[in-house]
Amino acid sequence: MNCVNKEKNLKRCNCSYPGCPRKGICCECLAYHRSHGELPACYFSNEAEKTWDRSIENFLRTRQV
């Protein structure tokens, strides 16, 4: 899929997963993770993202209030 916003999105994307084919293509990333009951990297702090645990439970456990 060609995303006209990919370069702009890449500047904000904190996904550290090597070789992710969805990096910078937010609509694909969100659809992928939601289909697995997860949230994308951008929902997490940089520290929590590095665990690659995209579960909703991890989001609730690590979110900053």
Side-chain angles (χ1 to χ4, degrees), residues 13-59:
C13 185
N14 67 330
C15 176
S16 65
Y17 192 77
C20 176
R22 292 167 291 278
K23 190 168 178 75
I25 308 172
C26 300
C27 58
E28 285 187 16
C29 178
L30 186 58
Y32 172 82
H33 286 288
R34 292 300 298 134
S35 74
H36 289 87
E38 302 172 335
L39 297 171
C42 58
Y43 278 58
F44 296 89
S45 68
N46 288 340
E47 277 304 307
E49 186 282 328
K50 290 176 186 175
T51 68
W52 297 346
D53 181 351
R54 306 279 193 261
S55 68
I56 294 170
E57 292 80 11
N58 188 45
F59 171 75

